[in-house]
Amino acid sequence: MPRPQPRLDPDNRFFWTGGADGKLRFLQCQDCQQFIHPPAPVCRHCLSENVEPAAVPGTAVVDSYTINHQAWYPGLEVPFVIARVAIDGAPGVYLTTNIINCPVDEVDIGDKVRVTFQQEGEIYLPLFEKVA
Amino acid sequence: MRGEAYITGVGQSQIGQKLTRHPLLLTLDAVKEALADAGLTIGQIDGVGTYPGRSAGYLGFSPVGADEVIDALGIDARWRLGAMEISAQLGAVAAAADAVKNGHARHVICFRTVYEAAAMARPEEYPPLRREKVDGFSQWMAPFNAISAACWTAQYATRHMKRYGMTREQLAQIAINGRANAALNPRALVQKPLTMDEYMTSRMVSTPLCLHDCDRFTDASTVVIVSGGDAIDEVKATPIRIAASAGAVDRVSWDQVEWMASYRTGPDLWKKTDYKPKDVDTVQFYDGFSFLTITWLEGLGFCEVGEGGRFIEGGKRIAIDGELPLNTFGGQIGAGRLHGFGFAHEAVVQLRGQGGARQIPGDPRVAVAASGGGPLAAALLLTKD
Protein backbone atom coordinates (compact mmCIF):
# COMPACT_ATOMS: atom_id res chain seq x y z
CA MET A 1 0.00 0.00 0.00
CA PRO A 2 1.50 3.39 -0.99
CA ARG A 3 1.57 6.36 1.35
CA PRO A 4 -1.56 8.54 1.25
CA GLN A 5 -1.49 11.09 -1.55
CA PRO A 6 -2.75 14.66 -1.38
CA ARG A 7 -5.71 15.36 -3.62
CA LEU A 8 -4.68 18.18 -5.94
CA ASP A 9 -6.96 21.19 -6.08
CA PRO A 10 -6.64 24.82 -7.24
CA ASP A 11 -5.32 25.90 -3.83
CA ASN A 12 -2.61 23.31 -3.29
CA ARG A 13 -1.41 22.35 -6.79
CA PHE A 14 1.51 24.80 -6.82
CA PHE A 15 2.77 23.39 -3.54
CA TRP A 16 2.61 19.69 -4.32
CA THR A 17 3.91 19.98 -7.89
CA GLY A 18 6.44 22.77 -7.27
CA GLY A 19 9.26 20.35 -6.65
CA ALA A 20 9.44 19.62 -10.39
CA ASP A 21 11.99 22.42 -10.68
CA GLY A 22 13.44 21.77 -7.22
CA LYS A 23 11.80 24.75 -5.53
CA LEU A 24 9.85 24.76 -2.29
CA ARG A 25 7.08 27.33 -2.56
CA PHE A 26 4.56 28.90 -0.22
CA LEU A 27 1.93 31.52 -0.83
CA GLN A 28 3.14 35.02 -0.07
CA CYS A 29 0.94 38.06 0.30
CA GLN A 30 2.06 40.59 -2.27
CA ASP A 31 0.70 43.43 -0.11
CA CYS A 32 1.99 42.68 3.42
CA GLN A 33 4.72 40.19 2.33
CA GLN A 34 3.73 37.61 4.95
CA PHE A 35 3.63 33.92 4.08
CA ILE A 36 0.43 31.86 4.26
CA HIS A 37 0.27 28.15 4.94
CA PRO A 38 -1.79 26.03 4.48
CA PRO A 39 -2.64 27.79 1.21
CA ALA A 40 -5.80 29.86 0.94
CA PRO A 41 -6.88 32.49 -1.60
CA VAL A 42 -6.65 35.23 1.02
CA CYS A 43 -3.93 36.50 3.33
CA ARG A 44 -4.73 35.61 6.94
CA HIS A 45 -2.73 38.62 8.11
CA CYS A 46 -4.27 41.46 6.05
CA LEU A 47 -7.18 39.87 4.12
CA SER A 48 -5.63 40.78 0.79
CA GLU A 49 -6.50 38.48 -2.10
CA ASN A 50 -3.20 39.36 -3.76
CA VAL A 51 -1.39 36.14 -2.87
CA GLU A 52 1.13 34.34 -5.07
CA PRO A 53 3.42 31.32 -4.71
CA ALA A 54 6.97 32.35 -3.88
CA ALA A 55 10.07 30.17 -3.67
CA VAL A 56 11.94 29.95 -0.36
CA PRO A 57 15.57 28.86 0.02
CA GLY A 58 14.56 25.29 0.95
CA THR A 59 16.32 25.15 4.27
CA ALA A 60 14.59 24.75 7.63
CA VAL A 61 15.18 24.08 11.33
CA VAL A 62 13.75 21.10 13.22
CA ASP A 63 11.21 22.48 15.71
CA SER A 64 10.26 19.07 17.09
CA TYR A 65 10.16 15.47 15.99
CA THR A 66 9.11 11.93 16.77
CA ILE A 67 10.47 8.55 15.77
CA ASN A 68 7.45 6.66 14.51
CA HIS A 69 7.51 2.92 15.23
CA GLN A 70 3.92 1.99 14.44
CA ALA A 71 3.11 0.56 11.01
CA TRP A 72 -0.12 2.43 10.40
CA TYR A 73 -0.90 0.42 7.26
CA PRO A 74 0.41 -2.79 5.72
CA GLY A 75 3.82 -2.40 4.16
CA LEU A 76 4.80 0.82 5.93
CA GLU A 77 8.48 0.51 6.81
CA VAL A 78 9.37 1.62 10.34
CA PRO A 79 10.97 3.29 12.16
CA PHE A 80 11.14 6.69 10.50
CA VAL A 81 11.33 10.29 11.64
CA ILE A 82 8.40 12.69 11.49
CA ALA A 83 9.36 16.29 12.18
CA ARG A 84 7.84 19.72 12.31
CA VAL A 85 10.29 22.10 10.66
CA ALA A 86 10.36 25.90 10.70
CA ILE A 87 10.80 27.12 7.13
CA ASP A 88 13.69 29.53 6.56
CA GLY A 89 12.56 32.67 4.77
CA ALA A 90 8.90 32.21 5.66
CA PRO A 91 8.52 33.33 9.28
CA GLY A 92 5.75 31.54 11.17
CA VAL A 93 5.37 28.77 8.59
CA TYR A 94 5.95 25.16 9.58
CA LEU A 95 5.78 21.91 7.67
CA THR A 96 5.26 18.41 8.91
CA THR A 97 7.69 16.23 6.98
CA ASN A 98 10.11 13.32 7.23
CA ILE A 99 13.83 13.64 7.95
CA ILE A 100 15.51 11.09 5.73
CA ASN A 101 18.99 9.81 4.82
CA CYS A 102 20.26 9.62 8.39
CA PRO A 103 19.86 7.19 11.32
CA VAL A 104 16.53 7.85 13.09
CA ASP A 105 18.24 8.56 16.40
CA GLU A 106 20.41 11.31 14.94
CA VAL A 107 17.70 13.93 14.57
CA ASP A 108 17.33 16.62 17.22
CA ILE A 109 15.51 19.87 17.82
CA GLY A 110 17.48 22.73 16.28
CA ASP A 111 19.00 20.63 13.51
CA LYS A 112 19.39 22.45 10.20
CA VAL A 113 17.80 20.57 7.33
CA ARG A 114 17.35 21.03 3.58
CA VAL A 115 14.49 19.99 1.32
CA THR A 116 14.83 17.05 -1.01
CA PHE A 117 11.87 16.16 -3.20
CA GLN A 118 10.54 12.66 -3.64
CA GLN A 119 8.50 12.31 -6.81
CA GLU A 120 5.38 10.13 -6.79
CA GLY A 121 3.52 10.73 -10.03
CA GLU A 122 2.55 14.40 -10.24
CA ILE A 123 3.36 14.90 -6.58
CA TYR A 124 6.74 16.05 -5.32
CA LEU A 125 6.84 15.38 -1.59
CA PRO A 126 9.05 17.87 0.26
CA LEU A 127 11.16 15.66 2.54
CA PHE A 128 14.20 16.98 4.37
CA GLU A 129 17.71 15.79 5.14
CA LYS A 130 20.23 17.08 7.59
CA VAL A 131 22.68 19.72 6.41
CA ALA A 132 26.15 18.35 7.03
CA MET B 1 -31.56 29.00 39.96
CA ARG B 2 -32.91 30.70 36.86
CA GLY B 3 -30.18 31.62 34.37
CA GLU B 4 -28.02 28.72 35.48
CA ALA B 5 -27.36 25.32 33.91
CA TYR B 6 -26.92 22.02 35.69
CA ILE B 7 -25.97 18.46 34.92
CA THR B 8 -28.91 16.58 36.38
CA GLY B 9 -28.37 13.04 35.15
CA VAL B 10 -25.55 10.85 33.94
CA GLY B 11 -25.61 7.48 32.26
CA GLN B 12 -23.36 5.08 30.44
CA SER B 13 -23.73 1.90 28.45
CA GLN B 14 -21.49 -1.07 28.88
CA ILE B 15 -17.96 -0.31 27.70
CA GLY B 16 -16.51 -2.96 25.44
CA GLN B 17 -14.77 -3.92 22.25
CA LYS B 18 -16.27 -5.54 19.18
CA LEU B 19 -19.75 -5.26 20.65
CA THR B 20 -22.62 -6.40 18.49
CA ARG B 21 -25.30 -4.35 20.25
CA HIS B 22 -26.56 -1.68 17.84
CA PRO B 23 -24.88 1.67 18.53
CA LEU B 24 -28.27 3.36 18.78
CA LEU B 25 -29.19 0.84 21.47
CA LEU B 26 -25.95 1.50 23.33
CA THR B 27 -27.01 5.14 23.23
CA LEU B 28 -30.45 4.14 24.50
CA ASP B 29 -28.85 2.25 27.40
CA ALA B 30 -26.98 5.37 28.44
CA VAL B 31 -30.06 7.57 27.95
CA LYS B 32 -32.24 5.32 30.09
CA GLU B 33 -29.68 5.25 32.87
CA ALA B 34 -29.32 9.03 32.78
CA LEU B 35 -33.09 9.57 32.79
CA ALA B 36 -33.51 7.23 35.77
CA ASP B 37 -30.63 8.99 37.51
CA ALA B 38 -32.20 12.41 37.03
CA GLY B 39 -35.74 11.22 37.69
CA LEU B 40 -36.90 12.48 34.32
CA THR B 41 -38.91 10.83 31.56
CA ILE B 42 -38.14 10.95 27.85
CA GLY B 43 -41.21 13.16 27.41
CA GLN B 44 -39.52 15.90 29.45
CA ILE B 45 -36.50 16.00 27.12
CA ASP B 46 -36.70 18.79 24.55
CA GLY B 47 -33.14 19.04 23.31
CA VAL B 48 -30.35 16.73 22.09
CA GLY B 49 -26.70 17.63 21.68
CA THR B 50 -23.74 15.55 20.62
CA TYR B 51 -20.22 15.68 19.29
CA PRO B 52 -19.46 15.38 16.42
CA GLY B 53 -22.79 14.29 14.95
CA ARG B 54 -23.09 11.27 12.69
CA SER B 55 -19.75 10.77 10.96
CA ALA B 56 -20.80 9.38 7.59
CA GLY B 57 -17.26 9.00 6.24
CA TYR B 58 -16.09 7.01 9.25
CA LEU B 59 -19.06 5.57 11.07
CA GLY B 60 -17.10 3.89 13.85
CA PHE B 61 -15.97 7.30 15.07
CA SER B 62 -19.54 8.47 15.54
CA PRO B 63 -22.28 6.15 14.32
CA VAL B 64 -25.20 8.04 15.87
CA GLY B 65 -26.24 11.65 15.36
CA ALA B 66 -28.61 13.91 17.25
CA ASP B 67 -31.19 13.51 14.49
CA GLU B 68 -31.32 9.74 14.90
CA VAL B 69 -31.72 9.94 18.67
CA ILE B 70 -34.50 12.53 18.33
CA ASP B 71 -36.29 10.41 15.77
CA ALA B 72 -35.74 6.94 17.21
CA LEU B 73 -36.60 7.91 20.79
CA GLY B 74 -39.59 10.02 19.80
CA ILE B 75 -38.21 13.18 21.37
CA ASP B 76 -40.21 16.36 20.89
CA ALA B 77 -37.14 18.55 20.40
CA ARG B 78 -36.80 22.31 20.26
CA TRP B 79 -33.01 22.36 20.13
CA ARG B 80 -30.31 20.11 18.68
CA LEU B 81 -26.59 20.17 18.07
CA GLY B 82 -24.36 17.69 16.30
CA ALA B 83 -21.18 19.37 15.27
CA MET B 84 -17.50 18.67 14.96
CA GLU B 85 -16.81 22.35 14.39
CA ILE B 86 -17.19 23.28 18.03
CA SER B 87 -14.51 23.92 20.67
CA ALA B 88 -14.03 20.20 21.42
CA GLN B 89 -16.03 17.17 22.57
CA LEU B 90 -17.29 18.78 25.78
CA GLY B 91 -18.10 21.92 23.82
CA ALA B 92 -21.38 20.14 23.08
CA VAL B 93 -22.17 20.15 26.82
CA ALA B 94 -21.15 23.81 27.13
CA ALA B 95 -23.41 24.70 24.20
CA ALA B 96 -26.31 22.83 25.80
CA ALA B 97 -25.71 24.80 29.00
CA ASP B 98 -25.95 28.05 27.06
CA ALA B 99 -29.11 26.78 25.37
CA VAL B 100 -30.94 25.98 28.60
CA LYS B 101 -29.78 29.24 30.21
CA ASN B 102 -31.38 31.08 27.33
CA GLY B 103 -34.59 29.10 27.27
CA HIS B 104 -34.00 27.24 24.01
CA ALA B 105 -34.63 24.00 25.87
CA ARG B 106 -35.31 22.77 29.42
CA HIS B 107 -33.67 19.34 29.53
CA VAL B 108 -31.03 18.36 26.96
CA ILE B 109 -29.61 14.89 26.41
CA CYS B 110 -25.92 15.28 25.57
CA PHE B 111 -24.29 12.10 24.33
CA ARG B 112 -21.18 10.67 22.76
CA THR B 113 -21.39 7.23 21.19
CA VAL B 114 -18.28 5.49 19.91
CA TYR B 115 -18.09 2.25 17.93
CA GLU B 116 -14.49 2.17 16.77
CA ALA B 117 -13.62 -1.33 17.94
CA ALA B 118 -16.75 -2.85 16.42
CA ALA B 119 -16.10 -0.94 13.21
CA MET B 120 -12.60 -2.39 12.96
CA ALA B 121 -14.03 -5.86 13.39
CA ARG B 122 -16.88 -5.31 10.89
CA PRO B 123 -15.49 -2.95 8.24
CA GLU B 124 -18.09 -4.01 5.67
CA GLU B 125 -20.83 -2.61 7.93
CA TYR B 126 -18.85 0.32 9.32
CA PRO B 127 -16.31 1.32 6.66
CA PRO B 128 -13.01 2.77 7.83
CA LEU B 129 -11.72 6.18 6.83
CA ARG B 130 -10.35 6.03 3.29
CA ARG B 131 -6.86 7.45 3.02
CA GLU B 132 -5.75 6.92 -0.57
CA LYS B 133 -6.35 10.61 -1.37
CA VAL B 134 -6.39 13.14 1.43
CA ASP B 135 -7.42 16.77 1.50
CA GLY B 136 -8.08 19.40 4.14
CA PHE B 137 -5.55 19.35 6.92
CA SER B 138 -4.91 15.61 6.52
CA GLN B 139 -2.92 16.43 3.38
CA TRP B 140 -0.30 18.14 5.55
CA MET B 141 0.10 15.05 7.74
CA ALA B 142 -0.82 11.75 6.08
CA PRO B 143 1.50 11.98 3.02
CA PHE B 144 4.39 11.99 5.49
CA ASN B 145 2.91 8.95 7.23
CA ALA B 146 2.00 11.09 10.22
CA ILE B 147 -1.24 9.12 10.11
CA SER B 148 -2.33 9.24 13.72
CA ALA B 149 -2.81 12.00 16.26
CA ALA B 150 -0.26 9.97 18.23
CA CYS B 151 2.42 11.22 15.83
CA TRP B 152 1.21 14.81 16.15
CA THR B 153 0.94 14.71 19.94
CA ALA B 154 4.30 12.96 20.25
CA GLN B 155 6.11 15.96 18.79
CA TYR B 156 4.73 18.23 21.51
CA ALA B 157 5.82 15.66 24.09
CA THR B 158 9.31 15.51 22.61
CA ARG B 159 9.59 19.26 22.91
CA HIS B 160 8.41 19.13 26.53
CA MET B 161 11.12 16.61 27.34
CA LYS B 162 13.87 18.56 25.61
CA ARG B 163 12.82 21.99 26.83
CA TYR B 164 11.53 21.28 30.34
CA GLY B 165 13.12 17.97 31.24
CA MET B 166 9.94 15.89 31.42
CA THR B 167 10.85 12.20 31.70
CA ARG B 168 9.13 9.03 30.55
CA GLU B 169 8.91 7.94 34.19
CA GLN B 170 6.93 11.09 34.95
CA LEU B 171 4.69 10.74 31.92
CA ALA B 172 4.06 7.10 32.90
CA GLN B 173 2.06 8.27 35.91
CA ILE B 174 -0.87 9.26 33.70
CA ALA B 175 -1.25 5.68 32.47
CA ILE B 176 -0.35 4.03 35.78
CA ASN B 177 -2.84 6.23 37.66
CA GLY B 178 -5.53 5.65 35.06
CA ARG B 179 -5.08 1.91 35.07
CA ALA B 180 -5.05 1.76 38.89
CA ASN B 181 -8.33 3.68 39.00
CA ALA B 182 -9.85 1.65 36.17
CA ALA B 183 -9.35 -1.46 38.28
CA LEU B 184 -11.78 0.11 40.79
CA ASN B 185 -14.36 0.92 38.09
CA PRO B 186 -16.47 -2.14 37.23
CA ARG B 187 -17.33 -0.71 33.81
CA ALA B 188 -13.77 0.15 32.78
CA LEU B 189 -12.46 -1.52 29.63
CA VAL B 190 -9.10 -2.47 31.17
CA GLN B 191 -9.28 -4.00 34.65
CA LYS B 192 -5.60 -4.84 35.16
CA PRO B 193 -3.30 -2.29 36.80
CA LEU B 194 -0.10 -1.24 35.02
CA THR B 195 3.37 -1.33 36.56
CA MET B 196 6.19 1.08 35.84
CA ASP B 197 8.23 -1.82 34.51
CA GLU B 198 5.49 -2.82 32.07
CA TYR B 199 5.26 0.79 30.94
CA MET B 200 8.98 1.30 30.47
CA THR B 201 9.44 -1.92 28.52
CA SER B 202 6.36 -1.69 26.28
CA ARG B 203 6.78 -1.04 22.60
CA MET B 204 7.01 2.47 21.21
CA VAL B 205 4.25 3.87 19.03
CA SER B 206 5.75 7.25 18.24
CA THR B 207 8.50 8.45 20.57
CA PRO B 208 8.19 9.30 23.39
CA LEU B 209 4.70 7.79 23.41
CA CYS B 210 4.54 4.05 23.98
CA LEU B 211 1.57 1.70 23.74
CA HIS B 212 0.37 2.56 27.25
CA ASP B 213 0.30 6.29 26.49
CA CYS B 214 -2.56 5.69 24.04
CA ASP B 215 -6.22 4.98 24.65
CA ARG B 216 -7.91 2.02 22.94
CA PHE B 217 -10.72 1.82 20.44
CA THR B 218 -13.92 1.25 22.34
CA ASP B 219 -17.65 0.70 21.84
CA ALA B 220 -19.76 2.64 24.33
CA SER B 221 -22.14 5.52 24.86
CA THR B 222 -22.01 8.20 27.56
CA VAL B 223 -24.82 10.62 28.38
CA VAL B 224 -25.09 13.71 30.54
CA ILE B 225 -28.41 15.52 30.85
CA VAL B 226 -28.16 19.29 31.02
CA SER B 227 -31.11 21.13 32.59
CA GLY B 228 -31.98 24.78 32.98
CA GLY B 229 -32.29 26.38 36.38
CA ASP B 230 -35.97 27.06 35.75
CA ALA B 231 -36.58 23.33 35.24
CA ILE B 232 -34.53 22.05 38.14
CA ASP B 233 -37.47 21.38 40.44
CA GLU B 234 -38.53 18.57 38.08
CA VAL B 235 -35.31 16.71 38.85
CA LYS B 236 -34.83 14.23 41.69
CA ALA B 237 -31.03 13.84 41.67
CA THR B 238 -28.46 16.21 43.20
CA PRO B 239 -27.88 18.76 40.45
CA ILE B 240 -24.31 19.68 39.60
CA ARG B 241 -23.96 23.27 38.42
CA ILE B 242 -21.98 24.11 35.30
CA ALA B 243 -20.41 27.10 37.02
CA ALA B 244 -18.32 28.10 34.01
CA SER B 245 -17.17 26.77 30.69
CA ALA B 246 -14.46 27.78 28.30
CA GLY B 247 -13.10 26.66 25.00
CA ALA B 248 -10.43 27.58 22.52
CA VAL B 249 -9.94 26.82 18.86
CA ASP B 250 -6.62 27.22 17.09
CA ARG B 251 -5.56 26.64 13.51
CA VAL B 252 -6.92 23.37 12.22
CA SER B 253 -3.55 22.02 11.04
CA TRP B 254 -1.80 20.90 14.23
CA ASP B 255 1.64 21.66 12.83
CA GLN B 256 0.92 25.40 12.71
CA VAL B 257 0.03 25.48 16.43
CA GLU B 258 2.85 26.38 18.82
CA TRP B 259 0.85 25.72 22.01
CA MET B 260 -2.16 23.48 22.27
CA ALA B 261 -5.46 25.28 22.71
CA SER B 262 -5.69 23.96 26.28
CA TYR B 263 -3.21 26.66 27.28
CA ARG B 264 -5.59 29.42 26.19
CA THR B 265 -8.57 27.79 27.89
CA GLY B 266 -7.30 28.18 31.45
CA PRO B 267 -7.13 31.98 31.71
CA ASP B 268 -10.53 32.20 30.01
CA LEU B 269 -12.15 29.70 32.38
CA TRP B 270 -10.83 31.27 35.58
CA LYS B 271 -11.83 34.81 34.68
CA LYS B 272 -15.46 33.64 34.51
CA THR B 273 -15.57 32.48 38.12
CA ASP B 274 -14.40 33.33 41.64
CA TYR B 275 -13.16 29.76 42.06
CA LYS B 276 -9.42 29.18 41.74
CA PRO B 277 -7.47 26.03 40.89
CA LYS B 278 -6.70 25.56 44.61
CA ASP B 279 -10.46 25.17 45.25
CA VAL B 280 -10.76 22.18 42.92
CA ASP B 281 -11.26 18.78 44.57
CA THR B 282 -10.80 16.57 41.50
CA VAL B 283 -9.86 16.92 37.84
CA GLN B 284 -10.93 14.73 34.93
CA PHE B 285 -8.63 15.57 32.03
CA TYR B 286 -8.51 14.15 28.53
CA ASP B 287 -5.98 11.38 28.07
CA GLY B 288 -6.55 10.09 24.57
CA PHE B 289 -2.79 10.35 24.72
CA SER B 290 -1.20 10.70 28.15
CA PHE B 291 0.68 13.86 27.27
CA LEU B 292 -2.57 15.72 26.60
CA THR B 293 -3.37 15.43 30.31
CA ILE B 294 -0.09 17.21 31.07
CA THR B 295 -1.12 20.07 28.80
CA TRP B 296 -4.44 20.35 30.68
CA LEU B 297 -2.74 20.39 34.10
CA GLU B 298 -0.49 23.17 32.87
CA GLY B 299 -3.01 24.98 30.69
CA LEU B 300 -5.64 25.18 33.43
CA GLY B 301 -3.09 26.48 35.93
CA PHE B 302 -2.72 23.51 38.28
CA CYS B 303 1.02 23.86 37.80
CA GLU B 304 3.35 26.14 35.88
CA VAL B 305 3.93 25.63 32.17
CA GLY B 306 6.67 23.02 31.81
CA GLU B 307 6.17 21.67 35.35
CA GLY B 308 3.53 19.04 34.49
CA GLY B 309 5.98 16.15 34.57
CA ARG B 310 7.37 17.06 37.98
CA PHE B 311 3.84 17.80 39.26
CA ILE B 312 2.71 14.20 38.74
CA GLU B 313 6.04 12.53 39.54
CA GLY B 314 5.60 9.46 41.71
CA GLY B 315 1.83 9.58 41.21
CA LYS B 316 0.81 10.28 44.83
CA ARG B 317 -0.54 13.77 44.18
CA ILE B 318 -2.98 12.61 41.47
CA ALA B 319 -4.08 9.36 43.16
CA ILE B 320 -7.62 8.93 44.51
CA ASP B 321 -6.38 9.81 48.02
CA GLY B 322 -3.98 12.49 46.77
CA GLU B 323 -4.32 16.27 46.84
CA LEU B 324 -5.64 16.43 43.25
CA PRO B 325 -7.28 13.15 42.24
CA LEU B 326 -7.08 12.76 38.45
CA ASN B 327 -9.13 10.59 36.11
CA THR B 328 -10.67 8.61 38.95
CA PHE B 329 -12.68 6.41 36.57
CA GLY B 330 -9.54 5.33 34.74
CA GLY B 331 -9.44 7.99 32.07
CA GLN B 332 -9.63 6.85 28.48
CA ILE B 333 -6.40 4.88 28.89
CA GLY B 334 -8.06 2.74 31.55
CA ALA B 335 -11.81 2.99 31.02
CA GLY B 336 -11.75 3.10 27.22
CA ARG B 337 -11.88 5.70 24.48
CA LEU B 338 -15.21 7.28 25.43
CA HIS B 339 -13.96 10.40 23.64
CA GLY B 340 -14.37 13.27 26.03
CA PHE B 341 -17.73 12.66 27.67
CA GLY B 342 -16.37 10.21 30.24
CA PHE B 343 -14.64 13.09 31.99
CA ALA B 344 -17.85 15.06 32.57
CA HIS B 345 -19.66 11.87 33.61
CA GLU B 346 -17.05 11.07 36.23
CA ALA B 347 -16.87 14.61 37.61
CA VAL B 348 -20.60 14.37 38.39
CA VAL B 349 -20.24 10.90 39.94
CA GLN B 350 -17.48 12.14 42.23
CA LEU B 351 -19.20 15.37 43.27
CA ARG B 352 -22.27 13.35 44.22
CA GLY B 353 -20.20 10.86 46.21
CA GLN B 354 -21.32 7.94 44.04
CA GLY B 355 -17.89 6.65 43.05
CA GLY B 356 -18.03 3.48 45.16
CA ALA B 357 -14.58 1.89 45.43
CA ARG B 358 -13.07 4.78 43.49
CA GLN B 359 -14.81 7.59 45.43
CA ILE B 360 -12.42 10.30 46.57
CA PRO B 361 -12.49 11.02 50.31
CA GLY B 362 -14.10 14.01 51.97
CA ASP B 363 -16.94 16.05 50.57
CA PRO B 364 -15.82 17.13 47.09
CA ARG B 365 -17.62 20.23 45.86
CA VAL B 366 -15.62 21.47 42.84
CA ALA B 367 -14.40 19.56 39.79
CA VAL B 368 -13.02 20.43 36.38
CA ALA B 369 -13.60 18.25 33.32
CA ALA B 370 -11.72 19.01 30.13
CA SER B 371 -11.36 17.44 26.72
CA GLY B 372 -9.43 18.02 23.56
CA GLY B 373 -5.93 18.19 22.19
CA GLY B 374 -3.97 20.16 19.63
CA PRO B 375 -6.09 23.01 18.31
CA LEU B 376 -9.23 21.89 20.18
CA ALA B 377 -10.07 22.51 23.84
CA ALA B 378 -13.15 22.62 26.06
CA ALA B 379 -13.34 22.78 29.85
CA LEU B 380 -16.22 22.68 32.33
CA LEU B 381 -16.08 23.91 35.93
CA LEU B 382 -18.61 21.85 37.88
CA THR B 383 -19.80 22.58 41.42
CA LYS B 384 -22.09 21.06 44.00
CA ASP B 385 -23.66 24.14 45.55
Side-chain angles (χ1 to χ4, degrees):
Chain A
M1 197 166 136
R3 59 168 90 209
Q5 295 286 311
R7 190 201 328 272
L8 294 181
D9 63 32
D11 292 333
N12 69 13
R13 181 173 292 274
F14 80 90
F15 180 88
W16 291 114
T17 61
D21 63 359
K23 300 285 193 197
L24 182 63
R25 292 181 174 84
F26 293 92
L27 285 185
Q28 185 178 24
C29 176
Q30 303 303 300
D31 290 326
C32 78
Q33 310 306 317
Q34 297 225 51
F35 283 82
I36 303 142
H37 183 75
V42 56
C43 172
R44 69 191 309 273
H45 303 284
C46 75
L47 304 189
S48 167
E49 296 176 30
N50 190 13
V51 295
E52 296 289 343
V56 294
T59 54
V61 177
V62 174
D63 178 78
S64 195
Y65 68 94
T66 179
I67 304 169
N68 180 87
H69 291 265
Q70 178 81 26
W72 298 106
Y73 53 81
L76 176 59
E77 284 184 30
V78 294
F80 58 90
V81 175
I82 298 166
R84 174 177 119 131
V85 301
I87 302 298
D88 290 341
V93 170
Y94 297 87
L95 265 190
T96 295
T97 186
N98 302 124
I99 310 297
I100 60 169
N101 298 334
C102 72
V104 294
D105 57 359
E106 288 187 7
V107 175
D108 202 354
I109 291 173
D111 282 354
K112 296 184 190 321
V113 292
R114 179 181 291 119
V115 70
T116 176
F117 290 99
Q118 180 173 309
Q119 185 185 359
E120 296 186 12
E122 282 187 280
I123 307 289
Y124 290 79
L125 281 175
L127 309 182
F128 285 74
E129 54 190 3
K130 288 178 68 164
V131 175
Chain B
M1 195 191 301
R2 200 176 181 84
E4 297 284 355
Y6 300 82
I7 296 179
T8 53
V10 295
Q12 200 162 55
S13 71
Q14 69 179 120
I15 299 171
Q17 291 183 317
K18 304 182 184 178
L19 298 185
T20 54
R21 186 160 172 80
H22 193 293
L24 188 55
L25 296 179
L26 289 176
T27 312
L28 178 67
D29 294 339
V31 165
K32 283 184 170 174
E33 187 172 284
L35 287 171
D37 180 46
L40 292 169
T41 65
I42 195 76
Q44 290 169 284
I45 300 296
D46 58 357
V48 176
T50 187
Y51 172 99
R54 186 174 184 272
S55 174
Y58 173 26
L59 275 176
F61 182 62
S62 182
V64 180
D67 279 352
E68 291 162 292
V69 167
I70 289 168
D71 204 48
L73 276 54
I75 293 169
D76 188 5
R78 294 188 289 144
W79 185 87
R80 70 167 175 177
L81 170 80
M84 180 172 254
E85 291 187 339
I86 195 163
S87 54
Q89 300 90 349
L90 289 176
V93 178
D98 291 341
V100 298
K101 284 181 185 179
N102 288 298
H104 299 299
R106 292 164 61 78
H107 301 289
V108 178
I109 287 173
C110 294
F111 74 95
R112 177 81 180 94
T113 302
V114 289
Y115 213 52
E116 290 177 284
M120 274 190 80
R122 308 205 302 279
E124 67 291 346
E125 292 175 57
Y126 297 93
L129 202 57
R130 296 184 66 85
R131 297 193 190 274
E132 289 83 0
K133 289 276 187 187
V134 290
D135 59 9
F137 99 91
S138 288
Q139 73 178 294
W140 309 110
M141 303 286 168
F144 305 99
N145 291 317
I147 302 283
S148 162
C151 311
W152 318 338
T153 303
Q155 294 175 76
Y156 289 89
T158 298
R159 194 178 61 171
H160 235 64
M161 288 184 164
K162 300 272 180 179
R163 188 183 287 178
Y164 301 115
M166 183 180 74
T167 66
R168 282 196 68 215
E169 287 83 353
Q170 291 168 348
L171 187 59
Q173 295 300 337
I174 300 296
I176 291 171
N177 176 71
R179 291 277 295 272
N181 295 344
L184 303 173
N185 174 4
R187 271 191 179 140
L189 183 70
V190 189
Q191 293 287 332
K192 185 175 168 290
L194 176 72
T195 67
M196 178 64 83
D197 189 53
E198 285 172 316
Y199 177 92
M200 294 301 291
T201 56
S202 74
R203 70 180 176 85
M204 276 291 161
V205 172
S206 198
T207 61
L209 303 182
C210 69
L211 194 60
H212 298 301
D213 290 305
C214 309
D215 62 4
R216 309 178 189 203
F217 280 176
T218 299
D219 311 322
S221 182
T222 306
V223 164
V224 304
I225 296 176
V226 175
S227 300
D230 54 348
I232 206 77
D233 56 357
E234 299 168 18
V235 171
K236 295 186 181 70
T238 303
I240 300 300
R241 188 163 64 95
I242 302 174
S245 68
V249 180
D250 213 312
R251 301 188 65 190
V252 62
S253 192
W254 285 46
D255 56 0
Q256 306 303 312
V257 179
E258 172 82 8
W259 289 96
M260 291 196 181
S262 42
Y263 288 90
R264 286 200 287 134
T265 309
D268 193 32
L269 182 73
W270 298 117
K271 81 181 181 201
K272 294 175 178 175
T273 175
D274 292 333
Y275 288 105
K276 304 277 184 253
K278 67 176 172 51
D279 301 320
V280 175
D281 298 304
T282 180
V283 290
Q284 310 293 334
F285 287 166
Y286 194 83
D287 66 340
F289 302 107
S290 59
F291 179 68
L292 298 176
T293 313
I294 302 267
T295 76
W296 278 113
L297 287 165
E298 295 181 1
L300 287 177
F302 290 92
C303 60
E304 295 294 318
V305 173
E307 290 297 312
R310 283 177 282 278
F311 186 75
I312 64 170
E313 186 161 5
K316 284 197 166 57
R317 178 177 271 142
I318 55 172
I320 282 176
D321 58 355
E323 67 183 73
L324 189 68
L326 168 76
N327 293 351
T328 46
F329 66 116
Q332 292 187 180
I333 289 173
R337 180 175 158 79
L338 306 171
H339 211 223
F341 274 49
F343 302 94
H345 180 283
E346 178 69 5
V348 171
V349 167
Q350 289 291 338
L351 292 179
R352 288 190 185 153
Q354 296 171 332
R358 66 179 194 273
Q359 178 62 43
I360 65 174
D363 179 26
R365 308 195 73 83
V366 184
V368 180
S371 78
L376 305 175
L380 305 173
L381 176 68
L382 301 170
T383 63
K384 181 174 63 182
D385 294 339

